[in-house]
Amino acid sequence: MEQRISLITLGVTDLRRSVAFYERLGWRRSPSSVEGEVAFFDLGGMVLGLWSREKLAADSTVTDGREWGGVTLAHNVREPDEVDAILAEAVAAGAALGRPGAPTEWGGYSGVVVDPDGHPWEIAVNPGWPLDSDGRPRLP
């Protein structure tokens, strides 16, 4: 198995609301999305999918007790002011602020927003993971 992730699918309770949230952040749906069924967003080498939480649980062979699924997504940027701007943009788009931007114990700067379906997003500057010109982190 190659060391990479191709697709992250988030189970959502209201597909239209979730699509609108990500589109308010400036993301564009892929033409391969199926209106009213599933939405895909090209993340530059990876894909984010939004699909019915109920259907995703059944397809993934899990019982959905409505607790948090143990997944936090992250978006790395180059400067702390970018963290704060993205947190504000996400809150304006409908996210809840989980943690405001602040220096971290590991030498970075980060904050957390939670999307309308409860999926946490950490927005961070990590000085140990420089970003290439396309915004992809380069692990040491």
Side-chain angles (χ1 to χ4, degrees):
M1 180 175 180
E2 294 179 24
Q3 186 170 313
R4 63 180 165 81
I5 295 174
S6 303
L7 169 69
I8 296 172
T9 304
L10 302 179
V12 300
T13 57
D14 184 330
L15 182 63
R16 290 186 199 289
R17 179 189 67 189
S18 295
V19 167
F21 170 76
Y22 286 99
E23 288 179 338
R24 283 192 301 269
L25 291 179
W27 292 26
R28 292 182 312 257
R29 264 184 291 173
S30 164
S32 62
S33 299
V34 179
E35 187 66 35
E37 290 293 320
V38 64
F40 297 110
F41 296 87
D42 183 342
L43 304 182
M46 187 185 305
V47 175
L48 175 71
L50 304 176
W51 192 28
S52 157
R53 184 175 176 118
E54 183 178 297
K55 290 178 182 177
L56 180 61
D59 188 64
S60 301
T61 69
V62 298
T63 301
D64 183 9
R66 291 292 187 207
E67 294 86 24
W68 173 58
V71 176
T72 298
L73 305 168
H75 178 76
N76 284 22
V77 295
R78 291 176 179 82
E79 301 292 333
D81 61 338
E82 291 177 87
V83 170
D84 295 330
I86 291 170
L87 293 172
E89 180 182 17
V91 167
L97 183 63
R99 179 170 43 84
T104 67
E105 64 185 43
W106 40 268
Y109 185 89
S110 78
V112 173
V113 289
V114 181
D115 81 3
D117 282 284
H119 302 289
W121 279 84
E122 179 188 33
I123 312 301
V125 173
N126 185 334
W129 292 6
L131 302 180
D132 68 14
S133 62
D134 292 325
R136 295 183 186 121
R138 295 295 173 209
L139 301 180

